[in-house]
């Protein structure tokens, strides 16, 4: 493949380019906040392009009364605002812009909600339609309007930004221009009235435009722009096949970790350096052919080093390659990491030892464009030598026996059966034996086979035979070539075996992950998912695995309790589940136990614990095996989270449908009941007036009928109020109200129902004002008074009302002297259709306290109930306290 073939665009790339050719270009002027000059910069660019003959149209530009901005609009063609209902709307006319179809259109304030009745609810959707029609758009945006930064801005400024823009729309912009000024200059502009007109500037400086907020917003704008530029740079490099070079646009670090004890210090040095530079860093370990010859302790130490790097914020990886230098350079260039940090052993001579190059020299020769940092690793701790337990392929003496066998077989066959065979051709047969030895047993047996083949060939087939001597100088060249070819073939075949083993391992891991993901997608129950994961982990790691899930009492139990063979410590199991951290063998928590516990974490929720005990002692030593296990656990947790979310969604859907049906039924029923109840109450009032003499025998029945009718009217009113508040689009008609006057009005209403009730007020001397809707707040106090009369013996003992105002809120406590509230039911009392005594003879359906809670929260307050120390129930209503501006009637 030639260089031109590599750079040749694909059909998909050509199709994308053709679509981009017909689509308009989006240019965003981004600023930290209002007043930095985004609209000014956009209008200046429009004037410059207009002078060059470009068709410019100002679709909408907000001057906010600024004289300078209004002056910049002069000379530019303006699009008339959208008309509707006989007056001008302050909105962008999308249809007019499409009909006019200019080359470039200016649309100010991209994050804006259009007026009701517009084609699109958001202005950025209007811009999207303009771009699809081939019109270039210039627009402005503040950093706080990005959707992903909404919570960050709220945490900084304390203000919830309502107008937001989806991040993908911003990321797909063709050009972003950062308009920036210092916070001091911006505050000076505010004071001069160049940002807000009138007293809005003073209020803005006191609230949103505090200097600390401006610093933080400015940093967000700079960082977001830098991230976008970095992404564009990476995409440009990938599109032009420039990934073979590192561009030092940031200070990203790469740390090479080995099994040496000093690598721990190397990792900490890299972490401190990355924190000071404020950059990302990676930690890698290269799994070469010598990895399998490492002891168990060394492999475990590598895994600990990678875990330490992850805790300190690094991105870790384990690479498989025959050459460490090549793997490090390739990884650095793929991730654009410009600085490589390696450790220097205590013995400096080992860095550049005779006869071979150290890693530093290899990196300097292979990647001269990368910065190389060499740090001291500290003193090496002497540890007892551990004889590694090697498998069949790692036992060199078996390969040496095989080399001797191949050599003897070839020599015997050609010496006794084909003595006339040419010695020169016989060399190729001996090389075949070297290849077979290297292919099966590795590099060291291949070297041994090369040497022994030369000796035997010289003894039996080179004159004079029967002695190790060379009469012809040409055989010296033959032996040298034979030895060199044997060594080269041995190295190549050993590398091939290693790469084949790595490929088989990767294929096996991919197959296992695919099978597990496919099986998990077919199950919709927690136990089935856990059982499938349990079998997959046991099969993949040759281990015994059990997954324990929480029951209804939040106690962990095995899936198949009768088949459980592991008896883990319940205390460790509970700690692992509660803390969400692994424990047991191979971890930092209780590593002496013979099993390992891994929590099934997805996000911040733990769905269970996987308990693993390995049959082979070295099964989980490799970092790759650890990563595979972590991936298995993550798949299980994600599948369980999917099932939990699905169940929660189904339950929520049923609950919503039930609530909607109940509200609809109650609303229709209450409307149908109000008319006959009104007629009934009017008839009772008329009869009471006509037979108003107390001596009349039917007056007692009329009084009871009137009282029950009023109770039914109040119940229907509560239901209607609840349905009206829960309906969409409900708005409070707020006004300044006196708390004492509302309570007095509520007391008069309750005294008409219960003439013998006693209510005592404890009010402060000054008038306490709140802002709210009077009839709704009066309904709250009436319901609380009625509740105290019914359940708190309000006719036998007085009801006390205490008003306690402070700077933040106004607290109104209504206490009775009854039997008190049921234990552990104070919260459920405020739910709809919930009563303290469900089987009580006291009439009611449990709507009174629910409407109290709903109205209170609608006013920005909260209500709670508790038992008073003196006995009885006490309901406390907390409403926000605000200071009235100007004269309050």
């Amino acid at each position: 493949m030639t260089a031109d073939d590599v750079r040749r665009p694909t059909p998909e790339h050509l199709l994308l380019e053709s679509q981009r050719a017909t689509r308009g270009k989006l240019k965003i002027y981004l600023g930290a906040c209002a007043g930095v000059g985004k609209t000014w910069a956009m209008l200046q660019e429009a004037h410059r392009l207009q002078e060059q003959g470009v068709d410019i149209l100002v679709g909408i530009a907000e001057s906010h009364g600024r004289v300078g901005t209004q002056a910049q609009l002069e000379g530019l063609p303006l699009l008339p605002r959208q008309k509707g209902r006989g007056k001008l709307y302050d909105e962008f006319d999308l249809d007019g812009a499409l009909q006019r179809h200019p080359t470039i259109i200016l649309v100010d304030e991209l994050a804006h909600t259009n007026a009701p009745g517009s084609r699109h609810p958001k202005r950025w959707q209007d811009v999207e339609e303009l771009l699809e029609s081939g019109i270039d758009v210039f627009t402005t945006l503040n950093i706080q309007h990005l959707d992903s930064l909404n919570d960050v801005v709220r945490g900084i400024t304390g203000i919830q930004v309502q107008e937001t823009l989806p991040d993908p729309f911003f990321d797909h912009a063709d050009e972003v221009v950062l308009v920036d000024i210092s916070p001091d200059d911006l505050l000076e502009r505010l004071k001069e009235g160049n940002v807000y007109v009138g007293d809005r500037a003073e209020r803005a400086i006191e609230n949103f435009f505090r200097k600390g907020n401006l610093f933080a917003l400015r940093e967000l704008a700079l960082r977001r722009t830098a991230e976008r530029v970095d992404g564009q740079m990476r995409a440009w490099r990938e599109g032009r096949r420039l990934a073979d070079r590192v561009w030092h646009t940031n200070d990203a670090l790469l740390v090479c970790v080995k099994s040496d004890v000093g690598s721990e210090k190397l990792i900490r040095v890299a972490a401190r350096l990355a924190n000071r530079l404020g950059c990302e860093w990676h930690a890698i370990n290269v799994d070469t052919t010598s990895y399998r010859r490492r002891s168990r302790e060394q492999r475990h130490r590598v895994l600990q080093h990678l875990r330490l790097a992850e805790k300190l914020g690094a991105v870790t990886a384990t690479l498989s390659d025959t050459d460490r230098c090549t793997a490090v350079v390739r990884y650095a260039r793929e991730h654009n990491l410009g600085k490589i940090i390696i450790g220097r052993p205590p013995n400096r001579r080992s860095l550049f030892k005779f006869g071979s190059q150290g890693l530093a020299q290899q990196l300097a020769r292979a990647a001269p464009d990368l910065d190389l940092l060499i740090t001291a690793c500290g003193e090496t701790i002497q540890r007892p030598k551990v004889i590694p337990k090697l498998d069949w392929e790692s036992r060199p003496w078996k390969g040496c026996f095989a080399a001797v066998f191949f050599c003897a077989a070839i020599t015997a066959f050609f010496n006794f059966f084909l003595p006339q065979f040419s010695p020169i051709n016989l060399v190729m047969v001996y090389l075949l034996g070297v290849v077979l030895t290297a292919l099966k047993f590795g590099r060291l047996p291949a070297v041994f086979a090369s040497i022994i083949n030369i000796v035997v060939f010289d003894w039996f087939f080179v004159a004079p035979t029967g002695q190790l001597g060379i009469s012809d100088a040409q055989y010296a060249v033959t032996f040298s070539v034979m030895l060199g070819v044997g060594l080269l073939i041995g190295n190549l075949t050993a590398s091939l075996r290693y790469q084949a083993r790595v490929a088989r391992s990767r294929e096996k891991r991919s197959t296992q992950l695919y099978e597990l993901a496919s099986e998990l997608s077919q199950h919709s129950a927690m136990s089935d998912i856990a059982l499938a994961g349990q079998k997959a982990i046991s099969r993949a790691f040759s281990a015994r695995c059990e997954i324990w899930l929480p029951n209804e009492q939040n106690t962990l139990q095995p899936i198949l309790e009768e088949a459980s063979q592991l008896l883990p410590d319940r205390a460790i199991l509970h700690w692992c589940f509660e803390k969400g951290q692994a424990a047991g063998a191979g971890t930092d928590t209780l590593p002496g136990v013979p099993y390992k516990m891994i929590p099934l974490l997805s996000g911040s929720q733990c769905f269970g614990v996987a308990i693993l005990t390995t049959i082979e002692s070295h099964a989980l030593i490799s970092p790759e095996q650890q990563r595979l296990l972590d991936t298995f656990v993550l798949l299980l947790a994600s599948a369980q989270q999917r099932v939990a979310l699905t169940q929660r969604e189904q339950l929520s859907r049923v609950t919503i449908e039930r609530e909607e049906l109940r509200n609809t039924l109650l609303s229709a029923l209450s409307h149908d009941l109000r008319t006959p109840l009104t007629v009934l109450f009017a008839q009772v009032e008329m009869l009471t007036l006509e037979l108003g003499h107390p001596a009349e025998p039917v007056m007692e029945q009329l009084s009871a009928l009137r009282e029950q009718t009023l109770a039914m009217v109040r119940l229907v009113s509560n239901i209607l109020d609840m349905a009206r508040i829960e309906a969409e689009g409900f708005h409070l008609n707020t006004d300044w109200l006196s708390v004492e006057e509302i309570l007095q009005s509520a007391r008069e209403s309750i005294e008409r129902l219960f003439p013998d009730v006693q209510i005592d007020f404890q009010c402060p001397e000054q008038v306490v004002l709140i802002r709210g809707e009077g009839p709704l707040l009066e309904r709250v106090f009436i319901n609380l008074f009625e509740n105290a009369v019914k359940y708190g013996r309000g006719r036998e003992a007085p009801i006390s009302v205490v008003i306690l105002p402070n700077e933040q809120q106004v607290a109104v406590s209504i206490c009775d002297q009854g039997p008190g509230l049921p234990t552990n039911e104070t919260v459920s009392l405020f739910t709809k259709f919930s009563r303290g005594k469900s089987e009580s003879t006291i009439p009611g359906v449990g709507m009174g306290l629910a409407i109290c809670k709903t109205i209170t929260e609608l006013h920005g307050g909260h209500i709670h109930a508790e038992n008073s120390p003196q006995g009885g129930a006490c309901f406390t209503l907390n409403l926000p306290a605000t200071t009235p501006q100007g004269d309050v009637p």
Side-chain angles (χ1 to χ4, degrees):
M1 181 179 291
T2 64
D4 294 335
D5 295 332
V6 174
R7 295 185 177 90
R8 184 177 300 160
T10 62
E12 293 78 8
H13 180 73
L14 292 175
L15 180 61
L16 182 60
E17 290 296 330
S18 64
Q19 293 175 351
R20 289 179 178 176
T22 60
R23 178 182 170 89
K25 297 185 180 301
L26 176 63
K27 186 175 184 178
I28 299 178
Y29 290 83
L30 178 67
C33 58
V36 298
K38 303 180 301 298
T39 306
W40 181 282
M42 180 178 67
L43 293 175
Q44 278 190 330
E45 179 67 11
H47 278 288
R48 187 185 66 82
L49 293 175
Q50 188 183 39
E51 293 176 357
Q52 297 177 3
V54 180
D55 184 13
I56 298 289
L57 177 64
V58 179
I60 186 168
E62 304 291 352
S63 62
H64 297 290
R66 305 167 190 161
V67 179
T69 305
Q70 192 66 35
Q72 284 286 326
L73 289 171
E74 296 179 0
L76 294 174
L78 302 178
L79 180 70
R81 301 293 178 91
Q82 184 178 5
K83 295 182 179 181
R85 299 181 183 178
K87 61 179 181 180
L88 288 177
Y89 275 124
D90 192 18
E91 286 296 343
F92 171 61
D93 188 2
L94 177 59
D95 292 327
L98 293 174
Q99 184 177 4
R100 171 71 167 73
H101 205 281
T103 303
I104 299 175
I105 188 170
L106 276 59
V107 182
D108 203 5
E109 296 185 359
L110 182 59
H112 172 77
T113 301
N114 294 328
S118 302
R119 183 186 307 175
H120 302 297
K122 298 292 185 179
R123 182 170 290 173
W124 67 267
Q125 295 173 323
D126 295 340
V127 172
E128 178 68 23
E129 188 169 345
L130 292 172
L131 295 173
E132 292 294 336
S133 64
I135 302 175
D136 296 344
V137 179
F138 288 2
T139 185
T140 61
L141 179 70
N142 290 330
I143 193 64
Q144 67 263 24
H145 295 299
L146 284 180
D147 200 8
S148 63
L149 300 177
N150 190 263
D151 57 335
V152 179
V153 174
R154 181 181 181 183
I156 294 172
T157 64
I159 298 174
Q160 179 70 45
V161 179
Q162 301 298 331
E163 303 286 359
T164 58
L165 176 77
D167 284 54
F169 187 82
F170 173 82
D171 295 332
H172 292 157
D174 297 276
E175 187 177 356
V176 174
V177 178
L178 179 64
V179 183
D180 182 49
I181 63 174
S182 66
D184 292 331
D185 292 340
L186 179 57
L187 292 175
E188 187 66 26
R189 294 192 62 192
L190 276 168
K191 294 177 182 178
E192 293 174 356
N194 293 328
V195 179
Y196 293 120
V197 180
D199 58 350
R200 292 183 60 192
E202 296 181 0
R203 294 199 301 268
I205 294 176
E206 295 176 356
N207 297 310
F208 187 84
F209 284 82
R210 292 191 293 268
K211 197 169 184 178
N213 293 351
L214 297 181
F215 279 125
L217 293 174
R218 190 185 186 195
E219 181 181 1
L220 287 177
L222 293 172
R223 287 185 179 274
R224 191 65 176 83
T225 307
E227 291 175 1
R228 172 183 168 81
V229 173
D230 184 69
Q232 290 177 331
M233 182 269 296
R234 289 177 180 270
W236 193 88
R237 292 177 69 245
E238 293 175 358
R240 285 157 178 79
R241 307 296 194 270
L242 297 177
D244 56 341
R245 291 191 303 167
V246 175
W247 289 4
H248 296 265
T249 55
N250 53 22
D251 292 322
L253 306 178
L254 175 62
V255 184
C256 302
V257 178
K258 299 198 302 182
S259 60
D260 300 337
V261 180
S263 292
E264 182 176 346
K265 179 184 177 182
L266 182 65
I267 292 172
R268 298 186 186 277
V269 170
R272 291 195 297 269
L273 184 58
N275 289 332
R276 291 173 184 172
L277 296 176
C279 64
E280 64 172 336
W281 64 292
H282 296 232
I284 63 171
N285 171 256
V286 182
D287 182 3
T288 60
T289 54
S290 62
Y291 181 80
R292 295 179 64 86
R293 296 195 296 271
R294 297 178 186 174
S295 66
R296 178 180 179 181
E297 182 183 7
Q298 289 176 324
R299 286 187 283 177
H300 184 65
R301 198 181 304 139
V302 170
L303 183 60
Q304 288 181 332
H305 291 161
L306 293 178
R307 287 179 178 174
L308 175 62
E310 286 182 350
K311 291 180 181 179
L312 296 178
V315 179
T316 61
T318 300
L319 310 179
S320 298
D321 203 299
T322 57
D323 183 50
R324 191 178 180 211
C325 176
T326 304
V328 172
V329 173
R330 182 175 63 249
Y331 186 89
R333 287 175 173 167
E334 288 176 354
H335 296 81
N336 199 39
L337 305 175
K339 291 179 172 57
I340 301 178
I341 303 178
I342 62 175
R344 184 190 68 211
N347 185 6
R348 298 181 61 90
R349 291 177 299 176
S350 62
L351 190 62
F352 304 102
K353 55 188 178 181
F354 177 78
S356 63
Q357 290 183 335
L359 181 60
Q361 279 189 335
Q362 294 176 9
L363 291 174
R365 185 183 299 274
D369 56 325
L370 301 182
D371 297 336
L372 187 60
L373 306 179
I374 304 176
T375 64
C377 292
E379 298 181 357
T380 304
I381 302 176
Q382 296 295 332
R383 297 181 179 271
K385 294 183 178 180
V386 180
I387 300 176
K389 181 180 179 181
L390 302 174
D391 56 11
W392 167 270
E393 294 184 359
S394 302
R395 294 174 181 173
W397 57 271
K398 289 184 176 293
C400 294
F401 282 144
V404 173
F405 172 77
F406 288 144
C407 182
I410 294 172
T411 302
F413 180 80
F414 286 96
N415 193 28
F416 295 104
F417 298 101
L418 294 175
Q420 72 279 6
F421 199 79
S422 175
I424 301 301
N425 296 329
L426 188 59
V427 171
M428 305 304 297
V429 181
Y430 278 108
L431 287 178
L432 177 62
V434 175
V435 172
L436 295 177
T437 305
L439 189 63
K440 180 62 179 176
F441 299 100
R443 180 180 293 105
L444 183 60
V447 173
F448 178 77
S450 299
I451 296 174
I452 194 176
N453 285 344
I454 292 175
V455 173
V456 172
F457 179 74
D458 184 23
W459 183 275
F460 286 99
F461 299 101
V462 177
T465 59
Q467 62 181 0
L468 297 177
I470 301 176
S471 60
D472 191 351
Q474 295 181 359
Y475 280 106
V477 177
T478 302
F479 292 161
S480 300
V481 173
M482 187 176 177
L483 179 61
V485 172
L487 295 177
L488 180 61
I489 291 176
N491 285 327
L492 291 177
T493 52
S495 299
L496 180 62
R497 289 176 57 253
Y498 171 76
Q499 293 175 1
R501 186 174 67 248
V502 171
R504 288 194 302 269
S505 177
R506 290 176 177 174
E507 181 183 4
K508 182 179 179 181
R509 289 198 298 267
S510 301
T511 303
Q512 291 170 345
L513 291 174
Y514 173 76
E515 292 176 351
L516 178 60
S518 301
E519 189 172 1
L520 292 179
S521 63
Q522 301 174 3
H523 298 295
S524 59
M526 291 286 192
S527 57
D528 295 339
I529 290 175
L531 187 59
Q534 181 174 294
K535 294 179 180 178
I537 293 177
S538 300
R539 182 173 58 252
F541 297 95
S542 300
R544 182 179 294 111
C545 176
E546 291 184 6
I547 296 180
W548 292 43
L549 301 178
N551 54 17
E552 297 179 356
Q553 292 77 27
N554 208 30
T555 302
L556 293 175
Q557 298 292 337
I559 308 172
L560 303 175
E561 194 166 358
E562 63 279 359
S564 177
Q565 299 179 359
L566 299 179
L567 298 176
D569 191 320
R570 291 279 182 170
I572 307 176
L573 191 65
H574 181 73
W575 181 89
C576 179
F577 179 73
E578 292 293 332
K579 299 295 183 180
Q581 299 180 10
T587 66
D588 298 332
T589 305
L590 299 175
V593 297
Y595 44 78
K596 182 176 183 178
M597 298 182 181
I598 308 173
L600 304 179
L601 283 175
S602 182
S604 59
Q605 188 175 0
C606 184
F607 295 94
V609 176
I611 307 173
L612 189 68
T613 174
T614 58
I615 300 174
E616 300 179 7
S617 59
H618 62 281
L620 296 178
I621 296 302
S622 168
E624 288 296 323
Q625 291 291 89
Q626 288 287 347
R627 290 181 181 274
L628 180 61
L629 178 60
D630 294 339
T631 306
F632 270 67
V633 172
L634 181 60
L635 284 176
L636 285 175
S638 300
Q640 289 178 324
Q641 185 182 36
R642 170 181 57 82
V643 173
L645 290 176
T646 302
Q647 295 175 350
R648 196 175 306 166
E649 180 187 4
Q650 293 175 352
L651 182 61
S652 300
R653 187 183 299 112
V654 172
T655 303
I656 292 174
E657 292 177 356
R658 184 174 63 246
E659 286 293 324
E660 290 178 352
L661 180 61
R662 184 165 58 183
N663 290 336
T664 303
L665 178 62
L666 290 178
S667 179
L669 186 62
S670 59
H671 277 289
D672 293 339
L673 287 176
R674 169 162 285 192
T675 300
L677 284 175
T678 303
V679 175
L680 178 61
F681 181 74
Q683 296 295 329
V684 171
E685 287 291 323
M686 293 175 58
L687 289 176
T688 304
L689 292 176
E690 293 180 0
L691 306 174
H693 196 278
E696 292 292 336
V698 294
M699 283 303 297
E700 183 177 354
Q701 289 80 0
L702 284 176
S703 298
L705 181 60
R706 180 177 181 275
E707 182 177 342
Q708 295 298 324
T709 303
L710 286 176
M712 288 294 297
V713 171
R714 290 194 304 275
L715 175 60
V716 172
S717 298
N718 283 334
I719 295 176
L720 283 176
D721 287 343
M722 180 67 74
R724 184 166 63 97
I725 291 174
E726 291 183 347
E728 296 182 359
F730 179 81
H731 299 285
L732 289 175
N733 297 320
T734 60
D735 199 358
W736 288 107
L737 305 171
S738 170
V739 178
E740 187 174 358
E741 290 182 1
I742 299 176
L743 288 169
Q744 290 287 357
S745 178
R747 180 170 68 175
E748 293 174 1
S749 299
I750 205 70
E751 285 178 348
R752 287 194 294 267
L753 300 176
F754 307 103
D756 52 351
V757 68
Q758 302 179 32
I759 302 177
D760 298 335
F761 283 178
Q762 297 182 20
C763 303
E765 296 181 358
Q766 70 275 15
V767 177
V768 180
L769 297 178
I770 59 173
R771 193 166 183 84
E773 185 171 334
L776 290 180
L777 292 176
E778 183 179 350
R779 175 62 54 81
V780 172
F781 294 125
I782 291 175
N783 288 344
L784 292 177
F785 287 152
E786 184 179 2
N787 191 75
V789 172
K790 289 182 178 180
Y791 299 96
R793 299 186 302 176
R795 298 184 179 182
E796 303 175 7
I799 301 172
S800 62
V801 179
V802 181
I803 304 176
L804 296 175
N806 55 40
E807 296 180 356
Q808 287 77 27
Q809 62 184 10
V810 177
V812 181
S813 299
I814 301 176
C815 304
D816 58 49
Q817 300 182 24
L821 300 172
T823 57
N824 302 326
E825 294 186 9
T826 56
V827 177
S828 62
L829 289 174
F830 294 99
T831 58
K832 289 186 292 187
F833 307 103
S834 175
R835 304 182 63 194
K837 298 179 180 179
S838 57
E839 301 298 331
S840 174
T841 58
I842 301 175
V845 294
M847 287 291 295
L849 294 180
I851 192 68
C852 291
K853 180 177 181 293
T854 304
I855 294 176
T856 303
E857 293 178 349
L858 196 63
H859 284 78
H862 66 276
I863 184 173
H864 66 276
E866 58 184 356
N867 287 319
S868 177
Q870 293 79 17
C874 187
F875 290 84
T876 303
L877 183 71
N878 295 280
L879 295 172
T882 56
T883 303
Q885 304 291 333
D887 297 333
V888 179

